[in-house]
Amino acid sequence: MVAGSRGKAPSAGETFMQMALGAGLRDRLLVTVGILMFLRLGIYLPLPGVNRQIFPASSVITPL
């Protein structure tokens, strides 16, 4: 039982926290956020062979 429940059934928030901690949800969320931040920052790095002026124009010509 959770320390805050005092002998009664755990609340939905307490139950969710137990599930999140047990499944390693925090670690998975941190990895996902880290990957997203890395990708967002990587957009600003220049790549050899990629013309940044032509790339946006080509995506407008061929819509999904």
Side-chain angles (χ1 to χ4, degrees):
M1 290 216 128
V2 178
S5 63
R6 294 186 188 165
K8 57 186 173 185
S11 68
E14 291 171 341
T15 303
F16 176 75
M17 287 305 296
Q18 288 175 354
M19 289 174 22
L21 293 175
L25 184 62
R26 179 176 175 250
D27 293 336
R28 290 185 210 163
L29 286 174
L30 288 175
V31 168
T32 302
V33 168
I35 290 172
L36 288 173
M37 288 175 53
F38 177 73
L39 291 175
R40 288 297 295 168
L41 291 174
I43 291 172
Y44 299 105
L45 297 175
L47 297 174
V50 176
N51 189 343
R52 293 182 77 140
Q53 286 78 28
I54 295 175
F55 187 71
S58 67
S59 63
V60 173
I61 295 171
T62 57
L64 295 176

